Amino acid sequence: MRECLSIHVGQAGVQIGDACWELYCLEHGIQPDGIVLDSKKDRLENAKMAPMAASFDTFFCETRAGKHVPRAFFMDLEPTVIDGIRIGKYRSLFHPEQLVSGKEDAANNYARGHYSMGSEIIDLVLERIRKLAKPCGGLQGFLIFRSFGGGTGSGFTSLLMEQLSKHYGRKTKLEFCVYPAPRISTAVVEPYNSVLTTHSTLEHSDCTFMVDNEAVYDICHHQLGIERPSYTSINRLVGQAVSSITASLRFEGPLNVDLIEFQTNLVPYPRIHFPMTAFAPIVSAEKAYHKAFSVSDITTACFEFSNQLVKCDPRLGQYMACCLLYRGDVVPKDVNAAIAAMKSRHSIQFVDWCPTGFKVGINNHPPTMMPGGHLAKVQRAVCMLSNTTAVVDAWARLDHKFDLMYAKKAFLHWYIREGMEEGEFSEAREDLAALERDYEEVGQSLRYDGKNEY
């Protein structure tokens, strides 16, 4: 077995996790109490179900009583959000030890999450993760869900990642992060938290998939026609993207992508590990009847700015690597034709040192939509993970906001009184400046002349 442990940290991580596990259960026919649906129809399709069951053991652990328990761990420094899971529809799905909450939150403060509050709970969290990892025959790695801007998401996750590197050295660590949006902000000190956490997790994370609230808000508003998008509708859309990324780990398919394959194909250098996420088709139930989505259509849609889950224009940079994860009614012939058509476009620029550029995953299981949700049921979908130099704009934007506050030493005393030193701020900012330079360097073309031969 190649098991994956999902770790959900802070309010954003826990709420996205709630949406993801709700969707996984629906996809695998698992009821809220963890029992797999066993209707007559299922028994007739037993031949189909056998390989499917074998695959979803990577994400679910079966008890002797036949109950399926998610290989997941939820953690927040304050109890409200996790209490929502404890009394919610899926309360019977999780073991009580998988849900850990503190008594006092990190108050949007990286220092509280990493030092004062975080250090009190880290041993308990590591012990619970160890219990989840122990029964795994071949633990493949960790999927970590969190936000950059919150206190727990930024501070506690960086402390946890350091410990995971220490205890589970060579295991893959992939992150799904809510990146601070350009105009929508949930906390004044988001730039501080984001710069500090990026610096402290840069060497511990193998690959960080980014989404931002503003981009997902706009998709919900303009493409799904939701007048006032709630966090539930936002998280369900993010859940669809996460489900497409993890589908090849949970279902059999003609071209499966393993957890370690993501980083191998998407990360050209250890520090350049922040791919952007895009998903297609995003269509409301009302419009779906009037549209047909071919493999070519959904592939083209993924490269459009309006389908990106991060506010960052890929036309302003060059692609270093691109991973296209298809699911549903898709055959390799159509995928090859769609990719050939994309390569011929002038608007899609690849760096000259990466001539291949595309990694493809194909999974036969079509996307499942939440009943009563806004997304329409479709035959096929694609999630694109693209490592592009355009993401440097997002870092530059964040660094500029950090600089404006740090120049006046605004809000700094809240961090220093929790045990941080001012030097950590300047060190983190220097590291982010180096990251910006790294992105600029990889975007530079190779120059051939008579003297230098490559």
Side-chain angles (χ1 to χ4, degrees):
M1 280 312 301
R2 303 282 286 140
E3 297 92 348
C4 298
L5 290 187
S6 300
I7 299 173
H8 306 273
V9 183
Q11 181 170 351
V14 169
Q15 288 181 333
I16 291 170
D18 197 17
C20 288
W21 286 102
E22 188 180 20
L23 186 58
Y24 294 162
C25 286
L26 205 63
E27 288 180 347
H28 294 291
I30 294 172
Q31 297 175 95
D33 59 359
I35 305 296
V36 176
L37 286 168
D38 187 26
S39 63
K40 246 182 198 175
K41 187 184 169 191
D42 283 350
R43 282 196 291 275
L44 289 170
E45 291 184 357
N46 229 4
K48 285 183 192 174
M49 291 286 281
M52 185 177 116
S55 306
F56 78 62
D57 284 348
T58 53
F59 272 65
F60 289 88
C61 169
E62 190 174 358
T63 64
R64 285 179 186 172
K67 182 180 171 178
H68 289 78
V69 181
R71 297 184 193 276
F73 179 75
F74 290 77
M75 185 273 154
D76 196 3
L77 285 175
E78 61 102 29
T80 322
V81 188
I82 287 187
D83 282 348
I85 295 176
R86 287 185 178 121
I87 59 167
K89 184 183 174 186
Y90 287 86
R91 62 186 178 276
S92 306
L93 187 66
F94 301 100
H95 190 283
E97 287 195 352
Q98 292 174 284
L99 309 170
V100 169
S101 56
K103 292 182 173 63
E104 207 180 331
D105 76 350
N108 285 128
N109 186 333
Y110 170 91
R112 277 173 73 85
H114 193 281
Y115 296 101
S116 49
M117 306 303 301
S119 59
E120 292 173 12
I121 203 169
I122 186 70
D123 291 335
L124 171 66
V125 168
L126 288 169
E127 175 57 24
R128 297 284 170 86
I129 291 171
R130 190 190 62 77
K131 278 187 179 177
L132 282 170
K134 198 177 177 184
C136 296
L139 179 63
Q140 197 174 163
F142 301 94
L143 302 174
I144 296 153
F145 298 76
R146 50 95 168 232
S147 72
F148 273 4
T152 310
S154 66
F156 186 79
T157 309
S158 55
L159 178 63
L160 178 62
M161 299 272 278
E162 285 167 26
Q163 294 298 322
L164 290 178
S165 292
K166 194 168 142 189
H167 296 287
Y168 306 90
R170 297 195 47 84
K171 302 295 179 200
T172 303
K173 290 185 286 298
L174 302 189
E175 290 186 282
F176 293 90
C177 293
V178 179
Y179 182 86
R183 291 185 308 233
I184 296 171
S185 172
T186 55
V188 176
V189 289
E190 261 183 6
Y192 280 168
N193 293 338
S194 304
V195 168
L196 289 165
T197 194
T198 304
H199 164 62
S200 54
T201 58
L202 204 55
E203 64 184 270
H204 300 295
S205 174
D206 294 304
C207 198
T208 304
F209 305 118
M210 300 203 297
V211 296
D212 84 48
N213 280 343
E214 190 176 331
V216 188
Y217 262 120
D218 285 354
I219 288 169
C220 288
H221 186 64
H222 299 302
Q223 289 177 237
L224 296 177
I226 306 169
E227 194 62 41
R228 295 172 69 186
S230 64
Y231 274 132
T232 305
S233 42
I234 286 173
N235 291 337
R236 280 182 175 172
L237 182 55
V238 173
Q240 285 293 339
V242 174
S243 171
S244 292
I245 293 167
T246 60
S248 60
L249 306 166
R250 298 178 290 117
F251 298 102
E252 298 295 325
L255 252 180
N256 267 8
V257 182
D258 223 340
L259 204 59
I260 202 158
E261 280 183 60
F262 287 122
Q263 68 194 75
T264 310
N265 289 281
L266 280 171
V267 182
Y269 303 100
R271 286 166 63 88
I272 310 289
H273 65 240
F274 297 95
M276 298 202 303
T277 316
F279 184 74
I282 298 168
V283 63
S284 64
E286 297 86 64
K287 292 179 187 170
Y289 296 108
H290 308 288
K291 290 184 180 179
F293 299 100
S294 66
V295 172
S296 177
D297 292 338
I298 61 174
T299 307
T300 306
C302 261
F303 285 90
E304 287 168 11
F305 182 50
S306 59
N307 282 54
Q308 302 273 348
L309 302 186
V310 182
K311 277 281 177 202
C312 186
D313 194 344
R315 292 166 296 191
L316 301 175
Q318 295 172 300
Y319 288 98
M320 291 170 273
C322 200
C323 189
L324 289 164
L325 303 167
Y326 294 90
R327 62 188 302 192
D329 182 18
V330 176
V331 292
K333 179 174 165 283
D334 293 344
V335 172
N336 294 338
I339 289 174
M342 295 317 297
K343 280 183 175 175
S344 64
R345 290 190 168 199
H346 293 298
S347 59
I348 294 161
Q349 296 284 321
F350 270 83
V351 288
D352 57 3
W353 47 262
C354 188
T356 329
F358 286 94
K359 163 77 183 165
V360 175
I362 301 174
N363 196 275
N364 294 138
H365 196 273
T368 306
M369 302 306 166
M370 292 301 301
H374 295 279
L375 279 163
K377 175 94 175 118
V378 287
Q379 291 303 306
R380 60 187 70 84
V382 61
C383 182
M384 180 175 85
L385 305 167
S386 55
N387 204 343
T388 165
T389 59
V391 86
V392 75
D393 282 356
W395 294 120
R397 202 166 58 213
L398 187 66
D399 290 344
H400 175 62
K401 288 178 182 174
F402 178 97
D403 292 342
L404 291 174
M405 291 203 299
Y406 191 62
K408 288 284 187 187
K409 303 284 191 281
F411 304 103
L412 219 60
H413 63 287
W414 295 112
Y415 292 79
I416 288 160
R417 70 196 278 180
E418 297 292 343
M420 272 187 81
E421 291 175 15
E422 207 174 302
E424 288 183 62
F425 280 80
S426 45
E427 188 187 317
R429 179 64 185 89
E430 281 164 24
D431 196 15
L432 269 277
L435 184 65
E436 279 189 59
R437 287 194 298 275
D438 292 344
Y439 269 97
E440 277 153 21
E441 280 171 26
V442 295
Q444 287 167 5
S445 60
L446 296 168
R447 288 184 178 84
Y448 293 90
D449 54 34
K451 295 169 195 167
N452 297 329
E453 286 194 20
Y454 294 92

